[in-house]
Every structure is written in structure tokens, then in C-alpha cells.
Amino acid sequence: MNGDLGLSGRRLKVLIAAVLALLTAAQTQALAQGKPAPAPPTPKHGGILEFSVDAEPSNYDCDANISFAFLHPIAPHYSTLLKFDAPHYPQVKGDLATSWSVSADRLTYTFKLHPRVLFHDGSAMTSADVKASYERIAHPPAGVISARQVNFAAIAAIDTPDAETVVFRLRWPEAAMLANFASPWNCIYSAAKLEEDPLFPQKHILGTGAFTFVEHVVGDHWSGKRFEHYFEPDRPYLDGYRADFSTEAKAVEGLEKGTIMAKFGSVTPQERDHLVESLGDKIVVSDGPWINNIPHTFNPKRPPLGDARVRRALSLAIDRWDAAKALSNISFLKYVGGVMRPGFAMATPDAELATLPGFSHDIEASRAEARRLLAEAGVKDLHLKLANRTLASPYFVAADYLIEAWRRIGVTLTQEKLDNKHWQAAMEQGNFDVSFDFVGDYFDDPTLQLTKFVSTDLSPVNFANSQDRFLDALYIGQAVTTDPRLRTKIVRDFERHALTQAYAVPFLWWNRIVITSAAVKNWTMTPSHFIEQDLTDVWLDK
């Protein structure tokens, strides 16, 4: 029979294996027993999901913020145009949009909206609100900070032919545009409120999401409750949620005692092992690569950091390959990589990465070159202060490693530990010599990951406050290029120049370890801690 089908025995086995790989383990077992696969459990309504967040929001504006400490408590209050389909990441699905279409030239995106969507104050949401929200992101008025303005520079016009249709017209085809429309940061605000006061979102919560705002108790918690008029039938399942602002140690203690049910950021490998030993099957552990790294960012306005030789020397002094081995056992710092996440299709392979400044396997040669560059720049007895965040993991262990690495080339580094509010203020105001920043977002794509390196007049999240029009040109070039091979080449050129100029240089990329109670259902971990946090579909089995 194999001969009649044109299949050898080996090829038939490969085909069978491929078919079986498409089946879940449960389905395979059910077929073997002649039984249908078990139906998924029926979601239950009710309960309060209590989870831990390492810090708290300093203001309530989605457009201005960049930290997960903002998004985890606030995302459940808002809807977005699209959102990521977490179980099928990186696919996107509708949120406010019921359907969408893209023109053949990729210059026009048309969205049809859910009818009868209400804001939490009872007012109707229409296409006018979507338009006003995106205009605020792409073209922020005076006094409004839009951290992702550069991601939407392609938007030329937004039309609203009727209350349930919104049309985006682009200046150029943007490779990442559909994913950008799924950004969890793009909260849809009330056009009426924005017209009254463009700064309204800084101090007020008014969305169309699954949960309404209850309270923000500074230094303690944030809470929300079920929105009874949410536009998705039968959602949300939870009665409410509570985000507790707590240290990492208290979060682990809360997980162990059962007073909290999730920590959606990450725990360390030691904390994971302790909780698994203590709680066994009472918890679920999710583990995988994370779209996150902590670059050390220099302030070139503070001499001698305006000299590229000095910045490059400081990067050369760091043995990233040794750091990955040493720190991956005690923190979630794990992978050596350049400007794109290691393992991602556009990431630079290790062999090529090792030829770039600061990534050589020969650390002694790199440090010798670092000393030469400092001497050439006339720099002696350099003392610097590091602005660091009060998040012990991974920032404290990273700082310790950096202090020792720079000591090896005669540079003294001390650190100042700042809470999230004061750290962000220091970054925005340029009150630092060196800082641990972070690069992390909701999707693997250079249009998102490279914004820290784009000139500060185009990208407010470039805290080095640098201006480099060559990088700007390459950034736009990759964004408008739809050929993956050409786009990858442009990204590699961008990376080489960025790491040579060294305004900001990646230290290590992260590994995400999430602990949830076994009672938490229908939450899926992804490589981003920014998505899957609206809690719309989460339910509790208890």
C-alpha cells in the first residue's frame, strides 16, 4: 500500500508523527481509548483575584507610562482597539473592533467597532473616542507625554465615517502596524473628557474595560470591580481584583500563605524552587524567554560621558557571557543579546554578536581596549553614580556586577536606589550619570524594541537624550520595509552603530518565571509581561 501511495515506510512514519503532533496529549489519549477528548472546564463567575505588583503608578496616564507597575493594576479598566490572543501569541484579535481590513498598499486600516459600548460613567463610546485617543498618542498636545509617539508616526489622518467605523490613513506602509493597534498601552479615552482637559487621564480613570475603578490606596493597593454593563456578554467572570503593592519578599510570602494568587511579573529561580517545594500542585509555574533587558544608559550631557570613547570603554569592560552564567542562578537575568531578544528571528547570532563592542568572549582584550580608550580620551580616576530602581531582582545583582566590572578598568561606580516614581523622574529630567533603564514591550518587533535609541526629539523614551540622525534613518528604513531579509539587515546595521556609539547598551535579557495559584484559570503566559493583563477572561476555580 505504501508503494501505491508513493510513500516509503520512513516517510509514512514522519507523516504520522506530524499528524500526531497536531493533537494535544489529552486528545491522543482519548483517541487511543476510543473516547472523545474531555471538554474544557466551564468557567465560574465570582471571586476576587488578588495579585502582587512590585511598585505602583505615579500617575494614571496610559500614554505617558512605560512600566508594568502601571499596566498591571490599570489595564483592566480600559479597552483597546485590538489585543493579542495570548494562547496563540503573537496573533491578534479584536477588542473594541469586531472586524478590520487592510488595503492592498497597506496604507489604509479600517476598523468596525462593537455597537453599544459604554464608558464607566454611562456615556456611549464611538469612533470619535478612538480617533481622539490615537491623535493624542500620535500627535500629543502641549503638556502631554506620549511615550510611544514614534511608533505611530506613520499616521497621516484618522477618519470616522460613522459612529462604528474608524479609518487610519498612513503616510507609509508600517511593517508592525497591526501589532501596534493591539498595544495594551493604547487605552481608549473619552473624547469629551480629552477636549475638556487633555491631561484628564493623569488623575482620573474612565474607560470601557471589564472592571471599574474602586480605589487607589497609596503605598498599599489598587482595586477594581466588575463592570455590569461591559460590552462582552457574560464577561468578566471575576467580581473584582486587587493589586497589592509589595516587595518581592512579601509577594513570595503571600503566595506561600495563599493571601495572594499571582505574581504576573516574575520570581527568581530560588523563589520558584522554594514555592514548588512548599506548595507542590497548589501552584502553577510558567517559565520562558522574556522580551525584556536592562540597558545601562549614559547621560552624555555629563562630562566625560559625551565622548563615545568613554561610553564604549565602559561597555567593553562588562563580561556579559560570564554575567549570564553567574546571574541566571540568582535572578531572571539569563541571555546575552543585542538590541533584539535572543532567539527572535531578527536577533544577531552569537558568533556575529561577539564581534560587536562589549560582546567579545575575550574579556581581557576588551578591558585592555577599554583602558586604552579612557587614556586616549584623557580620563583618569572616573567616579560615576548609578540611578537604580528599588526592585531587588534583577536590578541590585546587576548593579553589583556592573560596579565590579568597572572597577577592573579603574572606574568607581556608586548607586542611588530610587522608587519607581523618583527613578522615572530622574530619567525624564536627566538627573543621572548612568542608569539602569529597561527595554521591554508587548511584541517582538524592532519598531518597538529600538525606540530607546531613536533621537529624543522623536522618541521621549530615549533617556540618554541623544540625537543620531543615522539611527533615525535606519529606524524609519526598517519600519517601512516589508521584506524580512532586508529588514533584518537594516536592524543589524542599526545595532552595530548603536552599540558602537553606546548611548545605551543592553546588559542581559531576561527569563520570565510566573507563579499563579492553581485556582487561577484561563490566564496564559507570553514573552511579554505587558499583555494578557486586562483579566477579562480570567476565572477562579474555588
Side-chain angles (χ1 to χ4, degrees):
M1 182 169 63
N2 290 353
D4 294 338
L5 293 174
L7 293 173
S8 66
R10 182 178 179 182
R11 289 181 65 194
L12 182 59
K13 290 179 180 178
V14 171
L15 180 59
I16 291 171
V19 172
L20 289 176
L22 298 175
L23 302 172
T24 65
Q27 289 172 322
T28 304
Q29 183 178 12
L31 286 171
Q33 297 173 351
K35 299 177 181 179
T42 302
K44 300 176 182 178
H45 284 86
I48 304 294
L49 174 64
E50 191 164 352
F51 58 90
S52 172
V53 182
D54 293 338
E56 65 185 298
S58 57
N59 67 70
Y60 304 165
D61 192 344
C62 297
D63 298 338
N65 278 277
I66 57 175
S67 172
F68 79 97
F70 169 92
L71 205 57
H72 286 199
I74 288 180
H77 299 309
Y78 288 99
S79 304
T80 51
L81 198 53
L82 302 177
K83 62 182 178 180
F84 282 91
D85 186 356
H88 304 101
Y89 175 89
Q91 294 181 26
V92 301
K93 63 181 181 179
D95 192 6
L96 287 174
T98 59
S99 63
W100 58 93
S101 61
V102 183
S103 63
D105 60 6
R106 302 178 70 172
L107 292 176
T108 305
Y109 288 72
T110 302
F111 296 88
K112 294 294 184 180
L113 306 177
H114 276 281
R116 297 181 295 279
V117 177
L118 297 178
F119 283 101
H120 296 160
D121 65 356
S123 60
M125 192 285 303
T126 71
S127 58
D129 301 297
V130 176
K131 177 179 179 177
S133 298
Y134 271 90
E135 285 182 336
R136 189 176 190 266
I137 297 169
H139 310 291
V144 171
I145 296 175
S146 174
R148 285 154 289 278
Q149 179 180 355
V150 69
N151 297 344
F152 296 92
I155 295 177
I158 306 173
D159 300 331
T160 55
D162 59 60
E164 295 174 12
T165 307
V166 59
V167 181
F168 292 83
R169 304 192 187 279
L170 308 187
R171 295 184 178 90
W172 58 79
E174 166 61 67
M177 202 66 200
L178 198 63
N180 283 345
F181 284 125
S183 167
W185 295 102
N186 298 351
C187 300
I188 300 303
Y189 293 129
S190 163
K193 295 297 184 182
L194 293 181
E195 185 175 7
E196 291 174 8
D197 179 8
L199 298 178
F200 177 84
Q202 286 189 1
K203 297 181 179 180
H204 303 88
I205 298 291
L206 179 60
T208 61
F211 297 88
T212 61
F213 174 69
V214 174
E215 64 179 354
H216 174 196
V217 178
V218 176
D220 191 72
H221 73 273
W222 182 291
S223 61
K225 67 178 181 179
R226 186 180 199 273
F227 180 36
E228 297 299 335
H229 302 291
Y230 185 54
F231 62 90
E232 278 199 51
D234 205 36
R235 299 291 194 284
Y237 297 115
L238 299 171
D239 287 336
Y241 70 94
R242 173 178 164 128
D244 292 332
F245 309 129
S246 63
T247 64
E248 190 169 321
K250 287 185 177 179
V252 172
E253 181 183 346
L255 285 165
E256 193 165 17
K257 291 181 177 179
T259 55
I260 67 168
M261 305 182 74
K263 188 178 191 301
F264 292 121
S266 184
V267 298
T268 66
Q270 304 103 306
E271 291 165 344
R272 172 201 59 203
D273 295 344
H274 171 74
L275 289 168
V276 167
E277 182 178 357
S278 175
L279 299 173
D281 61 4
K282 295 179 180 178
I283 59 172
V284 174
V285 179
S286 304
D287 187 323
W290 203 346
I291 314 173
N292 232 35
N293 78 70
I294 49 172
H296 49 279
T297 297
F298 298 108
N299 185 349
K301 291 187 175 181
R302 293 194 174 180
L305 298 174
D307 190 324
R309 293 171 297 180
V310 176
R311 300 191 302 268
R312 191 158 60 251
L314 292 168
S315 181
L316 283 163
I318 305 168
D319 188 345
R320 290 170 173 82
W321 303 99
D322 174 74
K325 294 176 184 177
L327 303 183
S328 61
N329 294 320
I330 59 174
S331 73
F332 34 82
L333 298 171
K334 187 171 183 177
Y335 306 103
V336 178
V339 298
M340 300 303 298
R341 178 174 66 85
F344 176 55
M346 291 188 188
T348 302
D350 286 355
E352 183 181 341
L353 186 66
T355 67
L356 301 180
F359 291 84
S360 171
H361 289 281
D362 189 343
I363 188 58
E364 294 308 320
S366 292
R367 286 175 177 163
E369 173 65 4
R371 296 185 193 98
R372 187 193 71 77
L373 287 171
L374 290 176
E376 184 181 283
V379 174
K380 296 180 181 179
D381 194 28
L382 181 59
H383 288 71
L384 298 171
K385 181 176 286 187
L386 173 73
N388 204 7
R389 303 176 76 185
T390 52
L391 302 176
S393 183
Y395 291 93
F396 291 0
V397 294
D400 291 343
Y401 198 92
L402 198 64
I403 289 168
E404 176 59 21
W406 288 357
R407 185 188 67 79
R408 299 290 186 92
I409 61 168
V411 175
T412 300
L413 180 68
T414 56
Q415 65 175 313
E416 181 181 15
K417 298 175 181 177
L418 303 171
D419 62 32
N420 194 62
K421 177 180 178 180
H422 291 95
W423 170 82
Q424 187 160 338
M427 297 295 282
E428 291 173 351
Q429 297 164 15
N431 293 331
F432 65 95
D433 296 332
V434 188
S435 176
F436 269 134
D437 193 1
F438 68 88
V439 172
D441 231 306
Y442 52 90
F443 182 58
D444 274 308
D445 191 273
T447 300
L448 304 180
Q449 262 75 71
L450 302 183
T451 55
K452 296 282 185 176
F453 307 94
V454 175
S455 295
T456 190
D457 58 340
L458 300 177
S459 179
V461 294
N462 172 357
F463 295 128
N465 200 31
S466 60
Q467 185 175 97
D468 191 317
R469 295 308 183 202
F470 182 63
L471 287 180
D472 296 344
L474 291 174
Y475 178 83
I476 296 298
Q478 66 77 31
V480 303
T481 300
T482 56
D483 181 336
R485 289 178 297 179
L486 179 56
R487 196 176 183 217
T488 298
K489 181 184 183 305
I490 297 172
V491 170
R492 299 278 172 80
D493 291 342
F494 184 106
E495 178 177 62
R496 182 171 292 277
H497 185 78
L499 297 185
T500 301
Q501 291 301 308
Y503 293 110
V505 184
F507 179 50
L508 290 176
W509 289 77
W510 301 10
N511 190 60
R512 190 180 183 195
I513 307 171
V514 176
I515 304 294
T516 58
S517 164
V520 177
K521 303 296 183 182
N522 217 28
W523 181 86
T524 304
M525 195 188 84
T526 70
S528 171
H529 61 320
F530 293 116
I531 64 176
E532 188 70 347
Q533 295 306 140
D534 62 15
L535 306 181
T536 303
D537 298 317
V538 174
W539 58 279
L540 300 179
D541 189 13
K542 59 181 299 187

